[in-house]
Amino acid sequence: MKNIQSINRILGLLFLLTISFGVGNSFAQDTTTKKETKAEKKAEKKAAKEKKKEARLAEEQAEHAQNIAAINNKTYTLEANQAYDRRGNMVNVDPSINFVKVAGDRAVVQLAFPQLVGFNGVGGITVDGTISNYKVTTNPKNQMTRVTFHVQGPTMMADVSIELEADGSWANSSVEGDFSAAELKFRGELKPNSLSSSYEGTTRY
């Protein structure tokens, strides 16, 4: 009788151990599954972020190549988001009516503020002229592309420089008058003329 009771106790303990092991193993499996799922989601998120970054970089490189071609062909516009005076004072401006445009041997510089009454019909002034001494160089260190040229017209004689950053389309420009201390600086996006949404006001002379 005692032997049977002992056997039953042992079987009972074994049964409890089996249940405990099953529950513990199930808990361990659940924990592992959750960790694996979390790791997979993290990896997927990282891969998506890298893919987005690569796509953005490829887009910037394509834009840059397109802009270099436009610079070499003299068919581009720097649409300004910001304008600066010689002292560095900055004002945000509308890129559709503030720009430096190159079209073949003609250059147009326009500064406008819609809230003002201007000479050009869009709240500012529009001047143009013929381009000479057009030069394009690339800095081997930072890969910035620099364009310089002189513009001469009925109301404008100035030296113009444009610097396109190594990637994408952001650029800076400077327009400095020949016979005055006046200097206008723009910062914005450079685009081929075919993609530009700039609006040219009336040139008065």
Side-chain angles (χ1 to χ4, degrees):
M1 185 71 177
K2 289 182 178 180
N3 288 337
I4 293 174
Q5 291 176 346
S6 297
I7 291 170
N8 286 335
R9 289 194 190 97
I10 293 170
L11 287 173
L13 288 172
L14 183 61
F15 178 72
L16 289 174
L17 286 172
T18 303
I19 293 175
S20 298
F21 175 77
V23 172
N25 189 46
S26 177
F27 177 75
Q29 288 178 347
D30 289 344
T31 303
T32 302
T33 301
K34 288 180 180 179
K35 287 182 178 179
E36 289 176 348
T37 302
K38 188 176 181 180
E40 287 175 359
K41 287 183 178 179
K42 188 175 181 181
E44 288 174 359
K45 189 175 180 180
K46 184 178 180 181
K49 188 176 180 180
E50 287 295 325
K51 189 175 181 180
K52 188 176 180 180
K53 184 179 178 181
E54 290 174 359
R56 185 172 65 251
L57 181 60
E59 184 179 353
E60 288 178 352
Q61 290 174 339
E63 284 181 353
H64 190 261
Q66 182 177 249
N67 290 331
I68 293 296
I71 285 173
N72 289 330
N73 293 329
K74 297 183 181 180
T75 54
Y76 60 92
T77 301
L78 190 159
E79 297 180 352
N81 297 90
Q82 298 171 336
Y84 299 80
D85 63 17
R86 179 178 284 275
R87 296 181 179 179
N89 297 311
M90 185 273 288
V91 60
N92 292 320
V93 294
D94 184 343
S96 66
I97 53 175
N98 290 273
F99 57 83
V100 176
K101 179 180 182 180
V102 173
D105 290 329
R106 178 176 177 258
V108 182
V109 179
Q110 180 168 286
L111 177 66
F113 301 93
Q115 65 272 27
L116 301 178
V117 177
F119 295 103
N120 60 357
V122 289
I125 185 169
T126 304
V127 291
D128 68 345
T130 303
I131 293 173
S132 61
N133 298 325
Y134 189 88
K135 296 179 181 178
V136 181
T137 57
T138 301
N139 188 317
K141 292 183 178 180
N142 57 24
Q143 293 302 303
M144 289 185 69
T145 300
R146 179 178 173 83
V147 183
T148 58
F149 55 88
H150 186 265
V151 182
Q152 183 170 347
T155 58
M156 178 174 66
M157 292 183 67
D159 289 316
V160 179
S161 67
I162 297 173
E163 286 189 332
L164 175 65
E165 295 179 359
D167 295 313
S169 58
W170 284 95
N172 299 303
S173 72
S174 171
V175 182
E176 188 171 2
D178 284 357
F179 304 107
S180 71
E183 182 180 15
L184 173 65
K185 293 183 179 181
F186 280 144
R187 175 165 175 78
E189 289 191 83
L190 191 147
K191 302 177 181 179
N193 288 338
S194 60
L195 300 178
S196 176
S197 58
S198 61
Y199 176 77
E200 188 176 328
T202 305
T203 304
R204 298 183 183 276
Y205 50 79

